[in-house]
Amino acid sequence: MSGLKWIGATLGWSFGGPIGAIIGLALGSIGDAFASGNGGFLLGDSDTQQTRGRQRRPNYRTQQQRRAQTTSGDFEVSLLILATVVIKADGKQDQRELDYVRSQFVSMYGKDRANKAFSLFKKVSQQTIPLRQVCMQIQQMMDHASRLQLMHFLFNIAKADGMVTEDEERQIYTIAGYLGISSGDYNSIKAMFYNSSNNAYKILEITKSATNDEIKKAYRKMAKKYHPDKVEHLGEEHKKGAEDKFKQVQKAYEQLQKERGF
């Protein structure tokens, strides 16, 4: 079990449900631990933390009712699973997309933890993922800001080979629906990855007919929605992605300011 103690966090709500089953199967020998509910944690870096975690191991149904705060470990395994789905959306695994996933995990978690994460990623990618059930668990348990962060990362993966294919976009759109992401939020994040004259408006979730005052109001709303502090509970490693979204909102607003002269 010691080889599975990743640095940084423990699993919370993703210890149970379909995500727990997928991770348990990928890890082979600890699958029985997931099934019995008596096993240790996938993530963590000390025996003390593991013991303390078992004593406070959350009940999946209880958390499902109260939508407990997502841990770094919950986000990490959710990201791993959804990333495998997007990468296989066009019927192939492009090496550039795989390299992007690996580089992002190195950037976020460091080389050692990233190696373990990518090893798990490859095992998960060999499974048939029950996408709807996985997304329902995430939607029920993960806060809105963290789900938006997942969407941003998935688009980043899809564009790692230079473009987002129709199959990849269709898959991400399906995931967004299952995650309870609104069409406005989906189109806002999508617009960050395409070049179009309407992108600034889409990022701010407004139309070209919006007044200058409405643009200012939309900017304040989106800046609040995408502020990096919204995902600070996921740890410093995930702040960069949140900062990227925030900068895109600022860039869109500045572009409209320049175009309209206000």
Side-chain angles (χ1 to χ4, degrees), residues 86-126:
V86 171
I87 283 180
K88 294 191 293 185
D90 53 6
K92 60 182 180 179
Q93 288 190 342
D94 191 287
Q95 188 60 44
R96 287 168 293 184
E97 294 173 336
L98 293 173
D99 289 343
Y100 175 81
V101 173
R102 188 180 187 90
S103 68
Q104 287 299 299
F105 272 90
V106 170
S107 175
M108 289 188 293
Y109 306 123
K111 188 174 181 180
D112 183 60
R113 180 172 167 184
N115 286 339
K116 293 181 174 66
F118 200 71
S119 177
L120 179 60
F121 173 85
K122 289 189 289 186
K123 293 179 181 179
V124 170
S125 68
Q126 296 170 5

